Amino acid sequence: MSGRTSGALKRVVVVGNGISGLTAAHTLREAGFDGELTVVGDEVHPAYSRPALSKALLLDGDSPHLLPPPTHGARELLGARATGLDTGRRLITLDDGTALPYDGAVLATGSRARRLSDLPDEVTVRALDDALALRRRLAQRPSVLVVGGGPLGMEMASACLAAGCRVTLVSRGKPLTGRLGPHLAHVLTAAARERGLTVIETGRVRVEGRAGDARIALGDGTVLRAEVLLTAVGDVPNTEWLTRTGLVVDGAVPVGTRCLARPGVAAAGDLAAFPTSRGLRRVPLWSSAIDQAKAAARALVHGDGTPPLSFQPYFWTEQFGHTLKAVGHLPAAGEPVYAAGKPGGGPALMTWRRDDGSTTAVALDHRIPIPRLRRMTRTPA
Ligand SMILES: Cc1cc2nc3c(=O)[nH]c(=O)nc-3n(C[C@H](O)[C@H](O)[C@H](O)COP(=O)(O)OP(=O)(O)OC[C@H]3O[C@@H](n4cnc5c(N)ncnc54)[C@H](O)[C@@H]3O)c2cc1C
């Protein structure tokens, strides 16, 4: 949809310069918004690929994996943190005291890594600076202990192994099972073990000790140490700057079908919970952030004249020599139907059919394009 902006929308402020903020800014222009656009981001770097931080960036020479320079023509305030939002007076406040008036606002401040302790020894990777610091440490080939058997923990364990480190991964239950389902989890975990990853399946763990001497305590009393202690145990939406707005519910910003939290206030990406076929939920993934941001920006410009968010889950991960791409809901229970390849770990194309009539299509083959997976997938209305 294009066309010029309605007269009421003269100033838009986008808070957050990650993929959802960047996409919202571009989409506002595509949708015909030609007014004053300001993007506020607390990181000093231009926008970059966050998924690369646990994959190629940990291994690739000096590349910071920046995204192409923006063409949205916004005033960019980088290294600036939003500290408050007044929806009545339509003002966003920054940490240096600046107040930015808006007619439309996009809340896109994402999330941060959940931590198990305040100890500086506990390393998490959420931002470019975190990944660059870890990459420098990996060059010394330290021993590494990864806590977290989700996709992020496994990707980082894979990169650390590839960097030549000795790596142990501690997972609550079997790695990847909760996120991907048992079949895919088994394929990837078998590849991980083959490449030398030591996996410890356990219950809840604690970080103990003091700065400079942190360790991991398992429920059975076992204590584990390593030169690098890396945790990947989920994320926490960055909503503190919104606490007095009434926009935050259960730690996220709920939005309607067009990604609006209030008239004139849209929210997109990791901090937003939007209506899905499985209820209102956060889907903290890259392509979900892009889809939400497009819907949010169009809704600010065109209101109810724009279609609601149409969300089809897409997820990918790269680890232990595999690239997995999935369209449709995960985890996938039970055994798949193989459309190509066969069980045993080589390149494969699989589908799972669910009781609700939906299908999930998964490629364990980097050559298979996403549109092919989309054509094989059905999601319930
Ligand atoms: C290491 C890693 C690997 C990942 N890999 C994958 C993957 O393989 N596949 C996938 O689908 N997803 C992956 N994800 C998730 C994906 O990157 C996120 O879903 C996506 O980046 C969310 O985008 P966002 O714009 O909502 O938030 P973010 O990318 O977090 O951007 C938000 C920005 O806002 C800034 N900000 C926060 N508070 C303020 C404030 N008060 N004022 C101003 N600015 C603020 C933040 O610093 C940040 O720059 C990965 C995430 C990480 C951390």
Side-chain angles (χ1 to χ4, degrees):
M1 196 174 291
S2 66
R4 293 180 82 78
T5 312
S6 79
L9 198 64
K10 294 199 166 62
R11 291 169 300 198
V12 177
V13 178
V14 175
V15 187
N17 192 35
I19 191 63
S20 52
L22 186 70
T23 305
H26 280 297
T27 309
L28 282 160
R29 293 304 194 204
E30 270 171 28
F33 172 65
D34 55 3
E36 193 181 298
L37 180 58
T38 305
V39 176
V40 179
D42 66 358
E43 294 186 74
V44 291
H45 306 286
Y48 54 86
S49 166
R50 205 169 292 284
L53 303 186
S54 52
K55 305 177 183 68
L57 185 127
L58 285 179
L59 300 167
D60 275 5
D62 294 326
S63 164
H65 291 262
L66 297 178
L67 296 174
T71 53
H72 48 49
R75 175 168 65 130
E76 289 185 284
L77 304 178
L78 300 185
R81 170 172 286 266
T83 51
L85 170 69
D86 183 333
T87 52
R89 293 163 64 213
R90 298 203 163 208
L91 282 179
I92 288 166
T93 322
L94 306 188
D95 52 359
D96 67 356
T98 306
L100 299 173
Y102 68 83
D103 309 305
V106 181
L107 319 181
T109 48
S111 58
R112 59 183 178 275
R114 191 164 84 78
R115 297 180 62 86
L116 296 175
S117 76
D118 293 331
L119 294 176
D121 312 48
E122 181 185 351
V123 175
T124 57
V125 173
R126 176 75 202 184
L128 180 57
D129 291 339
D130 304 331
L132 294 176
L134 178 60
R135 185 166 76 184
R136 283 192 292 275
R137 289 185 74 182
L138 294 183
Q140 313 300 317
R141 299 194 182 171
S143 58
V144 180
L145 187 55
V146 180
V147 177
L152 186 53
M154 288 288 274
E155 284 183 353
M156 292 199 290
S158 174
C160 294
L161 268 182
C165 304
R166 193 158 41 80
V167 187
T168 301
L169 179 128
V170 177
S171 170
R172 202 197 272 194
K174 291 187 189 308
L176 299 172
T177 305
R179 184 71 183 81
L180 302 183
H183 183 90
L184 295 170
H186 175 77
V187 173
L188 295 180
T189 308
R193 287 197 162 105
E194 252 168 50
R195 287 182 177 228
L197 181 69
T198 302
V199 177
I200 299 178
E201 292 171 22
T202 180
R204 201 176 281 275
V205 304
R206 275 180 299 123
V207 176
E208 289 187 344
R210 52 187 165 75
D213 182 27
R215 48 200 179 252
I216 292 294
L218 310 186
D220 65 2
T222 308
V223 172
L224 302 170
R225 283 191 170 80
E227 287 160 295
V228 174
L229 171 55
L230 199 49
T231 64
V233 292
D235 68 322
V236 181
N238 293 318
T239 57
E240 287 72 11
W241 67 287
L242 301 168
T243 39
R244 283 203 288 267
T245 60
L247 293 172
V248 182
V249 179
D250 294 334
V253 178
V255 295
T257 52
R258 291 181 177 77
C259 300
L260 294 178
R262 295 257 173 92
V265 180
D270 285 4
L271 95 164
F274 60 95
T276 72
S277 59
R278 298 166 167 216
L280 197 68
R281 56 175 62 190
R282 278 196 323 122
V283 181
L285 292 174
W286 186 257
S287 67
S288 144
I290 292 172
D291 292 348
Q292 293 174 65
K294 287 181 177 171
R298 288 177 189 139
L300 281 182
V301 178
H302 296 295
D304 290 346
T306 188
L309 171 67
S310 150
F311 173 67
Q312 188 180 43
Y314 171 67
F315 168 78
W316 86 99
T317 181
E318 294 162 25
Q319 50 182 276
F320 308 107
H322 285 287
T323 296
L324 180 149
K325 304 177 198 176
V327 177
H329 290 290
L330 292 170
E335 293 303 310
V337 173
Y338 276 78
K342 52 182 173 12
L349 179 59
M350 296 157 267
T351 56
W352 278 260
R353 210 170 292 266
R354 298 165 179 280
D355 294 345
D356 64 2
S358 66
T359 319
T360 298
V362 176
L364 268 173
D365 184 343
H366 68 92
R367 295 164 304 182
I368 293 183
I370 301 162
R372 181 163 173 204
L373 295 175
R374 290 201 190 282
R375 284 195 298 276
M376 297 170 70
T377 307
R378 258 176 48 114
T379 31

